[in-house]
Amino acid sequence: MSKRRRIAVANWKMYGKLTSGLALARRICTLVEENSPLSYDVVLCPPATLTWSASEVIDGVYSLSIGGQDCHYESYGPYTGDISAAMLSDLGAKFVILGHSERRIAHGETNAFIARKIEAAQFAGLTAILCVGETAEDLNKDSALSVITTQLKESLPAKVRMSQLIIAYEPVWAIGTGIQPSPEDIAKMHKHIRSVLGESGETTRIIYGGSVTPANAPLILANDDIDGVLVGSASLEAESFWAIAEHCA
Ligand code: PGA
């Protein structure tokens, strides 16, 4: 039994239009209600276009929340195309994924930039889900541990509120590839992250993401030190997401 309340996060990425996205949210809502009360949290992170309508679908359902996939570091301003944490919160979001490798790589987001976003998210009342993870190249150079240490040290703002923070360990080479670290390697990295976090390491939720499926979820979540999962492609179908999430119990 995990010491911390576990959490299953669905990252829908840029998938889901009004009809299909809300149908998925409704189906997951039903599964949560049928199994209520859950001993863990479930967070759906749809595209920003669905934040409000998905919030309405899940409204009042215990243990189920909506999250964003990114936010700007300012509350408002002349930033065409961006969305602030305050706006996400206004639409009913309680969480936001920050520093995902797809944003670090495709949008050139740096650790310093991500730190500002975490500060903004927490100021707006959101819980930030900070993604960290080494690339295949880092792994081959045997520098995964030091890369994660740097990402943590530089991405966490000086005034970080640890009660509004979740760390997602997501090796870049495991995202969307069907390849994964061994449970032992995941456990080793989680321990490392806890040690970098120091005193807060024991209370902070640290989850794993990267090619999580119904088949491998039981193995990953067999370890009490893993506080949950961040699921991409397998979260786009309610039954497969549920077959993963229920192992958080
Ligand atoms: P995946 O994505 O489950 O499709 O590997 C995980 C993620 O990018 O958060």
Side-chain angles (χ1 to χ4, degrees):
M1 186 77 173
S2 173
K3 285 184 246 165
R4 297 152 293 264
R5 188 172 166 89
R6 277 180 155 173
I7 182 164
V9 183
N11 177 10
W12 293 0
K13 308 193 180 186
M14 201 171 72
Y15 295 100
K17 294 205 239 173
L18 204 51
T19 308
S20 59
L22 294 190
L24 179 54
R26 272 190 211 102
R27 181 70 194 123
I28 291 168
C29 208
T30 304
L31 288 163
V32 170
E33 282 178 314
E34 282 171 4
N35 292 277
S36 221
L38 297 188
S39 59
Y40 55 95
D41 296 319
V42 176
V43 180
L44 306 181
C45 299
T49 47
L50 297 179
T51 310
W52 170 245
S53 40
S55 291
E56 283 196 312
V57 167
I58 64 119
D59 189 36
V61 178
Y62 178 68
S63 293
L64 185 54
S65 309
I66 296 297
Q69 297 178 12
D70 177 49
C71 70
H72 198 271
Y73 56 80
E74 294 287 2
S75 306
Y76 55 87
Y79 303 102
T80 303
D82 279 313
I83 295 168
S84 74
M87 288 168 177
L88 283 175
S89 166
D90 193 36
L91 297 180
K94 300 280 185 266
F95 294 79
V96 61
I97 297 170
L98 292 172
H100 191 284
S101 60
E102 284 156 12
R103 294 208 61 88
R104 289 178 187 263
I105 295 163
H107 296 262
E109 292 193 6
T110 61
N111 290 330
F113 199 65
I114 293 159
R116 293 181 72 182
K117 292 184 177 209
I118 293 178
E119 207 167 337
Q122 295 190 332
F123 182 73
L126 302 178
T127 292
I129 303 171
L130 168 65
C131 300
V132 293
E134 79 283 359
T135 62
E137 201 187 336
D138 299 328
L139 190 70
N140 292 337
K141 283 194 291 193
D142 217 12
S143 55
L145 293 179
S146 66
V147 165
I148 303 297
T149 304
T150 306
Q151 285 181 349
L152 287 169
K153 294 216 154 132
E154 294 182 358
S155 309
L156 292 177
K159 289 189 193 141
V160 67
R161 300 177 201 176
M162 295 307 290
S163 58
Q164 282 170 253
L165 182 77
I166 292 170
I167 307 286
Y169 169 52
E170 293 212 308
V172 180
W173 52 273
I175 295 175
T177 58
I179 313 167
Q180 269 190 337
S182 66
E184 293 72 30
D185 285 343
I186 296 174
K188 188 173 153 198
M189 190 57 88
H190 276 235
K191 257 198 177 53
H192 175 69
I193 294 171
R194 290 199 194 284
S195 78
V196 176
L197 295 179
E199 253 179 47
S200 314
E202 271 309 297
T203 46
T204 305
R205 290 190 279 186
I206 305 176
I207 64 178
Y208 170 80
S211 296
V212 179
T213 63
N216 59 34
L219 215 61
I220 296 164
L221 291 164
N223 183 344
D224 286 349
D225 203 36
I226 314 293
D227 299 314
V229 280
L230 177 49
V231 189
S233 51
S235 74
L236 294 173
E237 206 264 309
E239 269 64 31
S240 73
F241 178 60
W242 194 254
I244 292 169
E246 62 185 2
H247 292 288
C248 286

